Structure formats: structure tokens, C-alpha cells
Amino acid sequence: MKLGKTVKIQMSAAMIMALLGGLLCKYSQSYISAYDKPMIDTTELMASALPKVNTNDEKARSDAEEEQPETPAPYAPSLTAFNLAFLYGEGDSQEKSLGEEAAETLSRKDSAWLASIYQVGDESPEKVAKKLNIPDAPLKGLSFQKVNISFYNEAGKQISPQSNIQEIMSLANTYFYYAAPNDYDAFLSYANQLWESSHTVQYSISDIYYCDGSLEGNTVPLPETVPATPSEAQPAVSEAEEETEASKEIGPGFALKEKETASTEAETIEETEAPKQNPCPGHVDLHIKAVITGLSDSKKGLFSLDTLGSEKNDSIQWPGWTEETKKYAASLAKQDWAEAYGLTLTPTFISNPLSYEEIQNYMDRLPDTLSQSRTKLIYYALSSVGRVPYYWGGKPACAGYERNNFGALAEPDEKGRTLKGLDCSGWISWIYWSAIQKRLSSESTSGLASLGTPIKREDLQPGDIILKTGDEGHVVMFLCWESDGNMTVIHESSALVDNVTVTKMSANWPYIRKLID
């Protein structure tokens, strides 16, 4: 019994101990000491305190921050790059750089200069004499039989009319790298002066002659409307010009004509036969020699004309035109400015014009019965070949070349052409306006289709127009028939030449119109 009581006591004690252990274990799990507490993330706490933001708005703000362009570093002038192409005027919308503005200014000078030359060639001798301030009475009623226009470089080589704008601006870029790279006004003044001195022209009129022969004599130099060509290009004064005061004043050709027509009564009586009347009123030829100075000759080229840059200037550390500085300018002039700076400075502003002989060959194919108006129309059209760039949507501002700015830089048209000119229908309108002072009431292809009188294909005469409308619309001026049944036409062409050209084609189009009798 004692043993049994002892066992009961031990079992009761064990149960009590187990119960206390369980309580202690539970209490120890629910208690966390200060050392065991986790650290609080203050970023999360602050984020939880802010109002919730729409995730789409947050993404848009992030994208905008990524697209924000970085502020470009200031442009550092260079001797090997055209610096004004990277500079813009204050307040400009950055559509045009200062370099592009300078190029446009000089290209307008190119255009005006060329227009003045061609305009003189299209006028009467009497009008040219008045413009050049020489006696016009001997030229009254006469016409230019031949207009010879020749262009040369500084080395005396005959060239097609070339623009030297890129070469001029290359010299200016080199000089102003030392002087003031950001001074646009000074740059433009320098470039303008160099342009003026690098473009010269000389006019001269031949002796008066007739269709059955010419009077002997020498060319008559006329006063220049622009700076004269170098002295070696001036016509020599002949002994015949020095013989009489009349010859000195109005030239040997004019003096000889006066001598021939002013026969005395005694001379008339002595003649056994009355002289035959010459139906030709007389002609004279106009010779125009233009010089465009570039960089083909280092001694006679642009460097020699630059009075400002030819002198050393220690105040700006300009060494003058040394071999090194010349090399920088020449290298820049040879760069592709369209690719490097987005400036399309075409080296030529006319392409393949017809010579006097080529024009005359076409004129000889015209019918003898052709009206004077149509003859003038065809001659003017042939004279414009190669001289008027194609420009989509281009329409004439006036008759003639002056003030139309053909060849000047313009905004790119639909095909990226940047030379101001005419489209096919604009050229037709301009030819009629210039040659016979008849401005057409419509200057679009569809409008021309309704002008004048419709005629049959077999009734075509030189000066009539053939056209088609629509997306592939085009208009040409009829010149003559060919033996194979095709026709030769004159037109402003957007294909290949991008200029006025003479072409053989069938032109079997629906609209054929006669605009003059």
C-alpha cells in the first residue's frame, strides 16, 4: 500500500510539471524581445502615406523623361567643316541654318546675273544700245542675226555656266574661322564682295551686214553693264577705228553703212546702172563673253581676288592665304555639301543649251509661210533649251528671264528638286508671254486643254501644243514632223534632264490646240 501511494504521488507531480512546462512554452513563443523585433522600411512607410498613383500615368511620365532630348554641347568651329551650317539666328525656328540663308542669298545673285545676260540676247539691237548708253540711231529697225554667249573660267577655258558659291563660302569659312566664326553679317559681306569680283561680262556688237553678204570691219565694243573681263579679253582697237572721228564714236560698221547710204547726187549721175535695192534691212551680231572665277587656277582664281584674306592679320592670327590655308579651303570646296550639311548647291545652273548653229538648223526646217508670231515663238522656245530648270508647280512671275529667278535655290518640290523653274504647262505659258506678249488665261495642263481652237493632228503647225491630262499629264510644243511619222517637240521635261529640251516622240495624245494664227 505504501508503494502504491508513492507511485500516485509521483504521477501527480509529473502531470503538474508537464502542465507548467506547456504554459511556459506558450508564453515564451508569444513574447518578443526588443532585440528580436524586425527593422521598419521607411521607404515603404513613406510610400504608404502618399496617395496611390495610376500606374499608366507613371509609365507615361517615365517615357516622356526618356524622350527628352539632351541639350547639345556648343558647336566648336572647325577648319574642315562648313561652320554656318550648324548655326542658327536668334529666334529662328531652326528650319534654316545661317549657312542655308547665305547660300540662298548668293544663288539669287547667280540667277539675276544669268537672267540679265539672256535678257540682253533676247532684245533688239536698238534696245540694247539704249540700255548700254551707246548711240542707237544706226541700229533702228535692225535685228540680231546671231547671239553668241560664251562662258569661261579664270584659266580661259570655255565652260558651261557654273555656280562658284560653294567655293566662295569655303574661302569665307576658312578666313572667318580665325576672324569671327559666328559673325554672319561679316561672312555674307565678304562672300558678296568675292561674288561680285568673280563674275564679269563683256558685250560687243558686230558690224552691220545684210543677208547677201556682210560689210568688212571689226567688232564694236559696248560699255559693260557689269565689271569688265580681264584686259586680255577686251576687243582690240583696229586701225580702221582710228581713221575717222565717226568710227571712234559709233564704230566702223555703223560708219560704213552711213557712207554707203549717203551717196552724193554726183555719184548717182555717174552710175550707169541704178543699184539694186536690198530688201534686207540689215543685221548685227551680239557677242557676250562671261567669266566665272573659281579655283581651277591657283594664281588667277578666287584667292587672287580676295583683297581681305590675302593680307596677314596678326590681331586675329590670320596667316593670309598660305599653302596650308588654301588647302583647307580647297578641301572644303570639294566636299559633298548635300550629304554633309543638307545644302544642294548644284555646280551648274543650266544644262546643254543649244548653240546658235543648232538653233538655226531647227529654224531652217520651218515653213517659209510661217507667220512672224509663230517664228518668234519657236525661236524663243529653242533659245530656252537648257536654261530653265524643271520645278513641279512652277509658274512664271513675268515675261522674260529677269525677276523669274530661274536657277535660284527654292524649297524642294515633290521630287526633291531645289532649283526654281517651271513645270511643263508653266513653260508653255511663259514662252507665249515672253515671245509674243500673249499671256495665256490658264497655266495648268487641264486648263490649256480648253484654250484656243482644237485642230486635227495632220494640221499641226510649229507653235501648236499637244497634251494629255490626268496623273501623267504633260504638254509639248510642236516643232516639225520627222520622216518616220514621229514629231520633234520642245518641252519642259521632268525626265532625266529636268530642263527644257528638244525630243522626238509620237505624242499621240487626245488634245491638240492652236493658240495663235
Side-chain angles (χ1 to χ4, degrees):
M1 273 190 72
K2 187 176 182 180
L3 179 61
K5 186 178 180 179
T6 301
V7 170
K8 288 180 180 180
I9 292 171
Q10 289 178 346
M11 289 179 66
S12 297
M15 291 176 65
I16 292 171
M17 291 296 292
L19 181 61
L20 290 173
L23 290 173
L24 289 172
C25 179
K26 182 177 180 181
Y27 177 76
S28 64
Q29 289 178 353
S30 63
Y31 172 78
I32 300 176
S33 72
Y35 299 100
D36 295 328
K37 289 182 181 180
M39 297 292 292
I40 299 175
D41 189 342
T42 55
T43 304
E44 292 180 4
L45 184 62
M46 291 176 65
S48 64
L50 294 172
K52 291 186 177 180
V53 180
N54 188 305
T55 55
N56 291 333
D57 293 342
E58 191 174 21
K59 184 177 183 300
R61 185 168 62 251
S62 176
D63 292 343
E65 289 175 355
E66 290 179 2
E67 294 175 2
Q68 192 74 15
E70 295 182 3
T71 303
Y75 177 71
S78 170
L79 274 169
T80 59
F82 180 44
N83 295 312
L84 289 189
F86 304 96
L87 300 176
Y88 297 82
E90 293 182 4
D92 286 356
S93 60
Q94 297 211 354
E95 291 182 357
K96 287 184 181 179
S97 68
L98 294 178
E100 187 174 358
E101 290 182 12
E104 289 183 358
T105 299
L106 294 178
S107 77
R108 285 193 293 271
K109 293 177 75 70
D110 273 352
S111 172
W113 181 69
L114 191 61
S116 69
I117 293 174
Y118 289 148
Q119 195 74 25
V120 168
D122 292 328
E123 294 171 352
S124 67
E126 182 182 5
K127 192 172 182 179
V128 172
K130 288 179 179 179
K131 182 177 287 188
L132 301 179
N133 296 317
I134 66 171
D136 59 280
L139 297 171
K140 192 171 184 178
L142 304 187
S143 62
F144 285 125
Q145 180 72 14
K146 179 179 179 180
V147 177
N148 182 30
I149 304 175
S150 302
F151 294 86
Y152 297 84
N153 64 12
E154 68 276 13
K157 179 182 178 182
Q158 190 165 353
I159 58 172
S160 61
Q162 296 180 352
S163 174
N164 63 355
I165 294 175
Q166 188 164 318
E167 294 169 312
I168 287 174
M169 294 203 298
S170 295
L171 266 69
N173 187 86
T174 306
Y175 176 79
F176 280 95
Y177 170 82
Y178 293 87
N182 300 337
D183 193 338
Y184 172 76
D185 292 335
F187 179 100
L188 190 59
S189 175
Y190 173 100
N192 273 324
Q193 290 177 15
L194 203 51
W195 188 97
E196 293 288 347
S197 60
S198 64
H199 289 73
T200 59
V201 61
Q202 172 197 342
Y203 302 93
S204 64
I205 285 182
S206 74
D207 302 335
I208 298 172
Y209 62 93
Y210 300 90
C211 294
D212 59 350
S214 65
L215 299 173
E216 294 183 0
N218 296 281
T219 55
V220 182
L222 302 183
E224 295 89 6
T225 56
V226 295
T229 50
S231 57
E232 62 266 23
Q234 301 288 350
V237 179
S238 67
E239 294 179 1
E241 288 180 273
E242 296 177 348
E243 287 180 358
T244 65
E245 290 298 322
S247 294
K248 290 181 181 178
E249 182 180 356
I250 59 176
F254 303 148
L256 286 171
K257 185 174 189 297
E258 285 187 347
K259 181 179 179 180
E260 181 184 62
T261 56
S263 300
T264 63
E265 185 177 352
E267 290 173 332
T268 304
I269 295 173
E270 291 176 2
E271 291 177 355
T272 56
E273 293 183 9
K276 295 180 180 180
Q277 294 294 324
N278 192 337
C280 175
H283 303 286
V284 287
D285 294 339
L286 176 64
H287 300 279
I288 302 175
K289 179 179 179 179
V291 178
I292 303 171
T293 303
L295 292 177
S296 63
D297 190 311
S298 60
K299 294 182 179 180
K300 299 179 181 179
L302 288 172
F303 296 119
S304 66
L305 300 177
D306 182 14
T307 55
L308 181 62
S310 60
E311 296 183 3
K312 183 179 178 181
N313 189 335
D314 292 332
S315 64
I316 59 173
Q317 297 183 335
W318 168 247
W321 286 118
T322 63
E323 290 302 316
E324 184 179 9
T325 53
K326 284 182 179 180
K327 184 178 179 180
Y328 278 119
S331 177
L332 183 59
K334 293 178 182 178
Q335 287 183 11
D336 184 342
W337 285 31
E339 181 179 349
Y341 317 114
L343 292 177
T344 305
L345 301 175
T346 179
T348 61
F349 37 88
I350 70 170
S351 59
N352 300 319
L354 297 179
S355 66
Y356 167 79
E357 288 75 17
E358 289 172 319
I359 292 175
Q360 199 57 45
N361 286 338
Y362 283 119
M363 296 299 294
D364 289 342
R365 299 183 65 181
L366 300 180
D368 294 335
T369 56
L370 196 66
S371 70
Q372 185 178 9
S373 293
R374 286 180 180 268
T375 302
K376 285 183 178 180
L377 196 69
I378 293 299
Y379 188 85
Y380 204 94
L382 290 170
S383 298
S384 74
V385 168
R387 297 179 179 178
V388 184
Y390 184 94
Y391 187 82
W392 190 85
K395 307 301 178 188
C398 59
Y401 289 89
E402 292 180 325
R403 302 199 314 275
N404 273 303
N405 293 322
F406 297 145
L409 290 179
E411 294 297 324
D413 69 2
E414 63 168 10
K415 292 291 181 67
R417 306 178 189 92
T418 57
L419 296 181
K420 190 172 183 180
L422 301 171
D423 61 14
C424 60
S425 56
W427 176 79
I428 292 288
S429 174
W430 176 70
I431 290 295
Y432 272 83
W433 195 0
S434 302
I436 59 175
Q437 289 74 55
K438 179 181 179 180
R439 188 175 186 183
L440 303 179
S441 58
S442 179
E443 295 180 336
S444 66
T445 306
S446 58
L448 291 177
S450 62
L451 295 184
T453 305
I455 57 174
K456 295 180 180 179
R457 187 176 176 86
E458 57 267 24
D459 295 331
L460 275 166
Q461 293 188 72
D464 291 333
I465 60 173
I466 310 102
L467 55 104
K468 57 181 178 177
T469 58
D471 293 339
E472 299 297 325
H474 193 54
V475 59
V476 299
M477 179 177 288
F478 177 77
L479 178 60
C480 59
W481 289 107
E482 298 297 334
S483 58
D484 59 2
N486 287 325
M487 62 177 71
T488 295
V489 300
I490 317 167
H491 60 128
E492 179 74 79
S493 174
S494 62
L496 300 178
V497 294
D498 277 337
N499 213 307
V500 185
T501 188
V502 180
T503 308
K504 256 192 207 182
M505 60 170 63
S506 62
N508 193 16
W509 300 338
Y511 301 99
I512 303 175
R513 313 295 292 189
K514 178 176 75 171
L515 305 182
I516 56 172
D517 295 326

